[in-house]
Amino acid sequence: MKRVEWWVLIVCAGFLLRVGAAAPFELNVEQVTSGDKHHFFGYIGQCQTIPWNASGRYILGMEIDRIDQMPEPDDAAEIFLIDTQNENKIIYIEKTHAWNPQQGTMFYWNPNAPETQFFFNDRDVESGKVFTVLYDIEKKKRVREYRFEDTPIGNGGVAADGSAWLGMNYGRLARLRLVTGYPGALDWSAADPAPENDGMFIVDVKTGKKRLLVSYRQLEELVKKEKPDLKHTGLFINHTLWNRDCDRIYFIVRAGWNGKDSIPEGEKRLNVPCSIHADGTGLTTQKFVGGHPEWAEGPLLIGREGKNQIVYDVDQKKVVEQWGTRKVFPNPEGDISLSPDGDWFANGYKKGDKNFYTVYRRSDGAHAFSEGVYKGNSSGNIRIDPAPRWNRTNDAVLIPGLANNGTRQMFLMRVIPEHPAVAKTEPWSSRMVQSLIRSNPSAAGIDFREKVRWHYATGLVLSAMLKEWEQTKDASVL
């Protein structure tokens, strides 16, 4: 052995067997925004929701005055950019009256111009009509507004190729499940529990034309095939989600989610997953795989079955794969997000007054756990869900949390790769030494010692590390 004596290798190997090799990556959480006001991004529920623009310089966000209640109809939220190249300076650019604490305002950078343009929802305060805005940060103005006077709708999900967005009646959502709608929004189909002229729309980004993809009447008929005695006070749709190929949409048909008064006597809340092709064909019910699923490739949907994190094929209607174990994913029902390159998977879940995250690498099954991020004890409409959202370079996730002063702020969870000296191309001596450093940041902790005390094992390991440094001159060893 050329670089270090054989006994050094044996010593390090012995400690590795006891403490376990270091994870191939780590997670580091840092606070991005601060101040007396509240700052957040919003929803995970659009395929490849990325808060960063194309270059990664700007992160979208919203600023509000309070988080202890749903917004009043007159409450506006400030829209801003975080300049990551200028000490995270906040640049205020717009306002919106169409937002809520869970979804924000459905931000989405325009796939056709991701460096400068993004979509968000707004609402006319006087009429209550919701519409979608396309804003250009370079021109510093709204370059387009998608308004439909008789049937006002807002963005419920932009296709990843930028061809279209899904349109929803946010007034109906606010009436039937407040947390997913906008207070003060006009509900133009309130008179009908299952209207023929309302449902999920598709709006062409270029032409601005819309078409009704599926109506609530169609959905009622579909559900009654499996539940012929269905009774409800009003259907609505949640979690409209394009797949990555932009040819399928997954969504959940619901009723009775606005308290006991919204459920007919003897009935239960309706919660039926469905999918449909973007051309309007293939409407069908699906197996329930969790309340916040995420698309992988093609027809594959990431969700949960029981206590397992699974992959479900919407075409075959069956589970085709399981990721990790129950130890890796303590709560597979949590908020989930797949990175743009499809290799990194983030699962966020609640435990007590904190949100925790597992990041899992699909290519080799490697994973790491985050520290807890304080979320407080709020619940219901004003709760702070984990909502992880990846950046474009697949090495950082935007997450929410509460700062020390009690304000809601934006945090960044970075994926820190293994130390360069631990790369698989490096000699085992270097890899073992770096693993020991990670397992024991302080030499006093070597051999699992809680009290500072010189010991034979301490001297032996440090001697081995010194010999490694003499060979490599790697400053991180000292």
Side-chain angles (χ1 to χ4, degrees):
M1 188 169 294
K2 295 182 180 180
R3 292 188 55 184
V4 291
E5 287 87 339
W6 63 271
W7 60 270
V8 175
L9 182 61
I10 292 176
V11 169
C12 289
F15 273 91
L16 282 173
L17 289 174
R18 294 184 64 182
V19 302
F25 61 89
E26 296 177 349
L27 304 177
N28 180 61
V29 177
E30 61 189 68
Q31 187 173 327
V32 178
T33 58
S34 60
D36 296 330
K37 293 193 176 183
H38 308 278
H39 305 99
F40 71 110
F41 174 83
Y43 208 37
I44 58 170
Q46 300 183 78
C47 185
Q48 298 189 72
T49 304
I50 303 174
W52 288 258
N53 71 334
S55 66
R57 176 171 182 172
Y58 296 114
I59 302 174
L60 274 169
M62 299 172 56
E63 181 180 277
I64 57 176
D65 293 327
R66 56 189 303 180
I67 57 169
D68 59 341
Q69 66 176 35
M70 286 289 286
E72 297 292 338
D74 291 336
D75 291 343
E78 296 275 359
I79 296 175
F80 62 79
L81 298 172
I82 300 172
D83 188 347
T84 64
Q85 295 181 13
N86 189 15
E87 299 181 338
N88 290 334
K89 178 182 178 181
I90 287 182
I91 304 170
Y92 298 97
I93 57 175
E94 257 286 359
K95 290 184 179 181
T96 177
H97 284 90
W99 64 278
N100 62 53
Q102 287 297 304
Q103 299 175 341
T105 185
M106 298 300 287
F107 282 135
Y108 204 94
W109 288 97
N110 181 10
N112 299 309
E115 180 64 18
T116 62
Q117 294 183 359
F118 65 92
F119 294 96
F120 70 93
N121 288 336
D122 201 358
R123 177 178 56 86
D124 183 279
V125 176
E126 293 185 3
S127 67
K129 294 181 179 179
V130 174
F131 56 96
T132 294
V133 177
L134 182 58
Y135 187 89
D136 192 298
I137 65 175
E138 194 173 68
K139 297 179 180 178
K140 298 182 179 181
K141 68 176 184 179
R142 302 182 178 201
V143 293
R144 187 162 192 174
E145 291 183 345
Y146 297 85
R147 293 177 180 258
F148 303 97
E149 291 301 315
D150 297 330
T151 55
I153 54 176
N155 168 41
V158 178
D161 63 3
S163 61
W165 50 269
L166 301 172
M168 302 301 300
N169 175 358
Y170 278 90
R172 187 179 185 91
L173 296 182
R175 176 172 59 88
L176 297 175
R177 194 186 182 203
L178 181 59
V179 68
T180 62
Y182 304 141
L186 174 67
D187 181 4
W188 47 272
S189 65
D192 195 334
E196 289 183 321
N197 65 336
D198 195 3
M200 181 167 56
F201 296 82
I202 284 187
V203 178
D204 187 287
V205 168
K206 291 184 178 179
T207 67
K209 294 182 179 180
K210 72 173 172 61
R211 59 185 171 90
L212 183 59
L213 181 64
V214 60
S215 72
Y216 285 115
R217 184 65 55 81
Q218 287 176 276
L219 294 174
E220 183 182 57
E221 294 171 354
L222 176 69
V223 173
K224 280 187 173 181
K225 291 179 181 180
E226 299 179 5
K227 301 177 183 292
D229 298 326
L230 173 68
K231 297 178 182 178
H232 63 88
T233 57
L235 295 180
F236 66 98
I237 295 172
N238 276 164
H239 304 300
T240 50
L241 191 65
W242 290 92
N243 71 344
R244 292 188 168 215
D245 295 335
C246 307
D247 58 8
R248 291 173 177 80
I249 296 110
Y250 177 90
F251 59 100
I252 301 178
V253 181
R254 288 174 165 169
W257 285 65
N258 209 25
K260 293 182 179 180
D261 293 339
S262 65
I263 307 175
E265 186 176 351
E267 292 292 309
K268 296 181 179 180
R269 295 196 307 187
L270 186 69
N271 192 49
V272 180
C274 298
S275 66
I276 190 172
H277 294 171
D279 62 4
T281 63
L283 176 64
T284 184
T285 59
Q286 294 288 350
K287 173 185 174 70
F288 181 77
V289 291
H292 294 88
E294 162 76 306
W295 286 102
E297 299 78 24
L300 302 181
L301 195 69
I302 311 164
R304 63 98 175 162
E305 182 180 53
K307 296 183 179 181
N308 297 321
Q309 197 81 69
I310 55 89
V311 178
Y312 172 80
D313 190 313
V314 299
D315 289 348
Q316 300 183 57
K317 293 190 176 183
K318 69 177 185 179
V319 175
V320 295
E321 190 177 353
Q322 178 180 329
W323 289 355
T325 64
R326 295 182 182 181
K327 187 174 182 180
V328 174
F329 297 112
N331 184 0
E333 174 66 20
D335 289 357
I336 59 178
S337 180
L338 188 65
S339 62
D341 68 0
D343 192 31
W344 298 86
F345 175 71
N347 172 300
Y349 58 96
K350 305 172 185 177
K351 186 177 180 181
D353 58 6
K354 295 180 180 179
N355 287 326
F356 294 83
Y357 300 85
T358 297
V359 172
Y360 176 85
R361 189 163 57 198
R362 293 175 65 190
S363 56
D364 60 4
H367 59 277
F369 303 103
S370 77
E371 62 184 270
V373 181
Y374 185 60
K375 67 174 182 64
N377 295 306
S378 60
S379 60
N381 295 341
I382 58 173
R383 67 186 186 273
I384 298 179
D385 286 341
R389 290 133 309 189
W390 286 94
N391 66 353
R392 297 178 188 273
T393 50
N394 315 290
D395 58 6
V397 183
L398 189 70
I399 57 176
L402 292 182
N404 291 334
N405 66 353
T407 58
R408 181 174 178 175
Q409 301 297 342
M410 300 162 70
F411 293 75
L412 198 62
M413 182 171 66
R414 296 187 185 276
V415 179
I416 309 298
E418 57 187 352
H419 188 280
V422 191
K424 294 181 179 179
T425 56
E426 290 296 319
W428 272 105
S429 57
S430 295
R431 295 159 71 177
M432 289 181 173
V433 166
Q434 290 300 329
S435 182
L436 283 165
I437 292 173
R438 288 190 174 207
S439 301
N440 302 279
S442 170
I446 289 176
D447 202 29
F448 305 97
R449 297 192 174 275
E450 296 181 359
K451 295 183 179 180
V452 178
R453 176 175 170 238
W454 186 260
H455 188 267
Y456 169 78
T458 311
L460 186 61
V461 172
L462 291 178
S463 177
M465 295 175 71
L466 178 61
K467 289 182 177 293
E468 170 68 9
W469 174 80
E470 289 173 348
Q471 292 292 327
T472 65
K473 303 303 180 184
D474 182 357
S476 69
V477 177
L478 296 180

